[in-house]
Structure formats: structure tokens, C-alpha cells
Amino acid sequence: MSLMELKEAKDKFIHTWGTLATQWGINRTMAQIHALLLLSSKSMNADEIMADLQISRGNVNMNLRDLMDWGLIYKQLLPGERKEYFIAEKDIWKVAKQIAKERRRREIGPLIEAMEDIKEGIQPDTAEKEEFLKIVNDISKVSVFADNTMTSLLKSDENWLINNFIKIFNK
Amino acid sequence: MSLMELKEAKDKFIHTWGTLATQWGINRTMAQIHALLLLSSKSMNADEIMADLQISRGNVNMNLRDLMDWGLIYKQLLPGERKEYFIAEKDIWKVAKQIAKERRRREIGPLIEAMEDIKEGIQPDTAEKEEFLKIVNDISKVSVFADNTMTSLLKSDENWLINNFIKIFNK
DNA sequence: TTGAATTTTCAAAATATTCTGAAAGTTTTT
DNA sequence: AAAAACTTTCAGAATATTTTGAAAATTCAA
């Protein structure tokens, strides 16, 4: 039956998204809530998410906040409703950019800081120290490079989006 | 005292490397072994690593194999020695490329496969299904794009980004 | 082939992370 | 102001991951 087929596919999507997420450092429930909201045309409240994924209120609350921190979902206040509703960013391109941005911030930033911090106390007054400093400096440079590359990619995309937008708009 | 200063900096480096690694999905011990070998001018055997990081033989063995899988360290057989020695790739640019390559393989590959797999069974014969397929297809496209971007970054050394990097790196 | 040296495996223990749910906190309605 | 509706917090429980270490497997020399 057709509706069942879609339901199954959606469940598979949510399950898969959760499994993949753990592979790349994101917690399974957070990913599943994200997937659920991605597939939902309406925004959902905490109770609906709890019922759908069979998880506790605390878990839902915490992961919704994390997803908002990541910029992947938005809070939506519906008129006449007391409850808070949540809706996912549906533009997958924006989603990917947001994830890339956050990962850059979380993964590369601290690395650059740490290397700068380690360099501080050391003078290159022996061959051994020079060798050590070379490694730290090289990691610094690679990190800064990766950071810049990410930034350029994210920026050039903005240009691309703007260009595209102008094209469509002028049509 | 100077030697102590270096020793401390090295320890800090190893510790920091391990902590950062957990932040981005890599196991702490694996990162620490990698850092230790990065800083060591000589290759090291399992016993030396055990003693240095105060960890068990099983742990060392397992993580050395993982590091070889990642292409970050090499096994070195010294003439006249029964024990296996390990040495890290010291060219940080190669290290970064290797990490990027592996992460692409581990993180993006499965995503593309999973989306293809989900698309399989669904026909776009209702509006709802079309909507669902749009999301899956968009994710597919973004993943393939990310994969291609990574690949071109890693491949062509005449790429503008890489030239940019070389400028910075050789300064 | 035997046995010593070395590496690998893996079940159990230790550690780390995630989840639960009830209590506390907040906001809104009456 | 009190009660109702809803959200947040957080200590303890559940789950998942990592580590240990001794036994099994492998390698090599004699």
C-alpha cells in the first residue's frame, strides 16, 4: 500500500540519518529529531516529537536547543497556541552551509588557538626545540589554511546565491 | 630549565591533541599515540608507547592499526630487531590531506549511498512522495557536491586554493 | 620441530555519554 | 494572586565506547 511505503521510507530516512550522525560526531537523537522535522511539512511541538520518536521530554528539550544552536531549526510561535513549535530549515544548501560553518568553528578554531598557545613559551634556541616548533607551526599553518578555505567556500557560495537570485529576479 | 620546558610543551601538545580529537570524533588514545609519534624523531615500538602514555598493550596495538588504516603512521622493520617500530608521517600537509581523504570516505560516502538506497523504492506518484523525494534528492546533490569539492581540493596541485596555501606555507 | 619473542584478540571492567522523569522554574490565563 | 500550561534542569539510570590484560595466535631462530 502506497501510504505505508512512504511511511516506511521516512522511518528509514530518520533511522539512517541518526546512524550516520553518530559516525560523524553528532548525537543520534539530535539527528533523528532533525530528520523528523526535515520531513514534516508542519512545525511540531515537543509532545509530538516525544510521541513520534518515543523519547523523553528532557531529551527532546535538550536536543531541540542544540539544533537551534546549530542553526538547523527555528522556533515558531503559532497564534493562539501556548506550546512552542519547531520547524527545520528546508533549504538543504543552507543546511549544509550551516553544518560546515559550525564544524569549522568547533573543530578548527580550538586547534588554531591551542597551537598558538603552545608556541608561546618556547624559544627556538636548540635544534630539538626548533624541530618541535616546526611541527606546531606547520599545524598552525594548515589549520589557518583550512579555516580560510572553508570561509572562502562559504563566501563564494553567497556570491553564487546572490548571482542566481539576481538572475531569477530579473527574469 | 630548558629541557624540562620542552618536555612540558610536548606533553601539553600530546594532551591537547587528544582532547581536541574527541571533539571531532576521533578517539583520544589514537590521537595521543599519533601526537607522540609526530614528535618523536625516532620510530617507536609498542612497549615504548605503552610506557610513555601509560596504557595497555591491547590499546596500543588496536590504535596503531587504526592509525595505519588512516594512513597517518607507517610500520618500520628495523634490521636485527624482532619488534615492530612505528613512525608518523611528518609532512603535515600530507597528514591533513590524509585526514580529509579519510573523513570524506567515512562521512560523505555512506551518506550518498544511503540516499540512493532510500530513493530506490519510491515512485513520485503523489505530492507527498514528491516532497519527500525532493529532500532526499537535495541531500544527494549536496553530498555529491561536497564529495567533488573535497576531491578537487585534494587532487590538483595547480588548484588556486592550493596555490594560495603554498604561498602562505612557504612564507 | 620446539620454544621464546612478539603481536593480536576478546571478554570483562572501567569510563564516558546519553537519556529519563520528576521536580523546579517560567509564562500565561483566569 | 493562584492555578494551569508549558519549559528547563539535573541527579541517577541506562547505554555505548574505550581500555585492560591474560590467553591465543603468529613469527622467527635455533
Side-chain angles (χ1 to χ4, degrees):
Chain A
M1 195 247 201
S2 182
L3 269 178
M4 213 50 218
E5 195 179 294
L6 181 58
K7 177 76 168 62
E8 264 170 38
K10 286 189 174 185
D11 282 352
K12 186 171 175 184
F13 179 89
I14 291 170
H15 177 264
T16 304
W17 200 247
T19 307
L20 287 176
T22 55
Q23 291 274 333
W24 41 298
I26 286 165
N27 136 319
R28 191 171 68 238
T29 306
M30 177 172 148
Q32 287 185 341
I33 294 176
H34 182 225
L36 178 63
L37 290 175
L38 254 188
L39 297 187
S40 167
S41 45
K42 300 180 290 301
S43 55
M44 297 178 79
N45 64 41
D47 290 275
E48 290 167 345
I49 296 168
M50 284 169 67
D52 212 306
L53 298 179
Q54 298 283 4
I55 55 181
S56 73
R57 183 176 303 284
N59 199 3
V60 168
N61 184 271
M62 150 163 250
N63 283 296
L64 282 174
R65 272 182 304 112
D66 284 351
L67 282 166
M68 284 193 288
D69 285 349
W70 275 80
L72 298 177
I73 66 172
Y74 311 116
K75 193 184 278 189
Q76 209 177 43
L77 293 176
L78 297 183
E81 280 277 7
R82 276 291 281 287
K83 283 179 178 148
E84 294 177 333
Y85 282 73
F86 298 88
I87 192 157
E89 171 59 60
K90 295 289 170 48
D91 180 338
I92 298 299
W93 189 242
K94 275 195 196 168
V95 171
K97 282 207 324 189
Q98 203 52 41
I99 290 172
K101 219 178 194 170
E102 276 301 308
R103 293 187 83 177
R104 191 191 93 218
R105 194 174 70 74
R106 287 162 201 246
E107 296 179 5
I108 306 181
L111 184 58
I112 294 173
E113 274 175 47
M115 291 305 110
E116 291 306 314
D117 199 41
I118 285 170
K119 273 193 266 183
E120 290 283 301
I122 306 286
Q123 296 304 314
D125 50 17
T126 68
E128 255 193 316
K129 286 191 185 177
E130 238 170 67
E131 215 176 313
F132 173 67
L133 278 176
K134 171 160 173 37
I135 293 174
V136 176
N137 270 315
D138 284 356
I139 293 171
S140 244
K141 285 179 193 165
V142 169
S143 314
V144 169
F145 168 72
D147 203 47
N148 289 340
T149 303
M150 269 285 153
T151 305
S152 310
L153 276 176
L154 292 170
K155 277 237 180 79
S156 73
D157 167 61
E158 259 163 46
N159 294 336
W160 182 84
L161 278 178
I162 288 168
N163 285 336
N164 237 22
F165 170 74
I166 289 170
K167 265 184 225 154
I168 291 161
F169 195 75
N170 285 340
K171 206 154 47 175
Chain B
M1 195 249 203
S2 182
L3 267 180
M4 213 50 218
E5 196 179 294
L6 181 58
K7 177 77 168 60
E8 265 170 35
K10 285 189 175 186
D11 283 351
K12 187 173 176 183
F13 179 90
I14 291 169
H15 177 264
T16 304
W17 201 247
T19 306
L20 287 176
T22 54
Q23 291 274 332
W24 39 301
I26 287 165
N27 141 318
R28 191 171 70 240
T29 306
M30 177 172 147
Q32 287 185 341
I33 294 175
H34 182 225
L36 178 63
L37 289 174
L38 255 189
L39 297 186
S40 167
S41 46
K42 299 181 290 300
S43 55
M44 297 178 78
N45 64 40
D47 290 277
E48 289 166 346
I49 296 168
M50 284 170 68
D52 212 305
L53 299 179
Q54 298 284 2
I55 54 180
S56 73
R57 182 177 303 284
N59 200 3
V60 167
N61 184 271
M62 152 164 247
N63 283 297
L64 282 173
R65 272 182 304 113
D66 285 351
L67 282 165
M68 284 193 288
D69 286 348
W70 275 78
L72 298 177
I73 65 171
Y74 312 115
K75 194 182 276 190
Q76 211 178 41
L77 292 177
L78 297 183
E81 280 277 8
R82 267 303 269 293
K83 284 180 176 144
E84 296 176 332
Y85 283 73
F86 299 87
I87 193 157
E89 171 60 59
K90 295 290 170 49
D91 180 338
I92 299 297
W93 178 237
K94 275 196 197 167
V95 171
K97 283 208 318 192
Q98 203 52 40
I99 290 172
K101 216 180 197 169
E102 276 301 307
R103 292 187 83 176
R104 191 192 92 217
R105 195 174 69 74
R106 286 162 200 245
E107 296 179 3
I108 305 181
L111 184 58
I112 293 173
E113 274 175 47
M115 292 305 111
E116 292 306 315
D117 198 41
I118 284 171
K119 273 193 267 182
E120 289 283 301
I122 306 286
Q123 296 304 315
D125 48 20
T126 66
E128 256 194 315
K129 286 191 186 177
E130 237 171 66
E131 216 175 313
F132 174 67
L133 279 176
K134 172 161 172 34
I135 293 174
V136 176
N137 269 315
D138 283 356
I139 294 172
S140 246
K141 282 183 202 160
V142 168
S143 314
V144 170
F145 170 74
D147 203 48
N148 289 342
T149 304
M150 269 283 153
T151 304
S152 25
L153 274 176
L154 293 171
K155 260 197 192 144
S156 61
D157 274 359
E158 61 258 50
N159 192 292
W160 71 272
L161 282 169
I162 298 212
N163 282 334
N164 223 29
F165 165 74
I166 288 169
K167 266 184 223 151
I168 295 163
F169 202 74
N170 285 340
K171 240 199 323 225

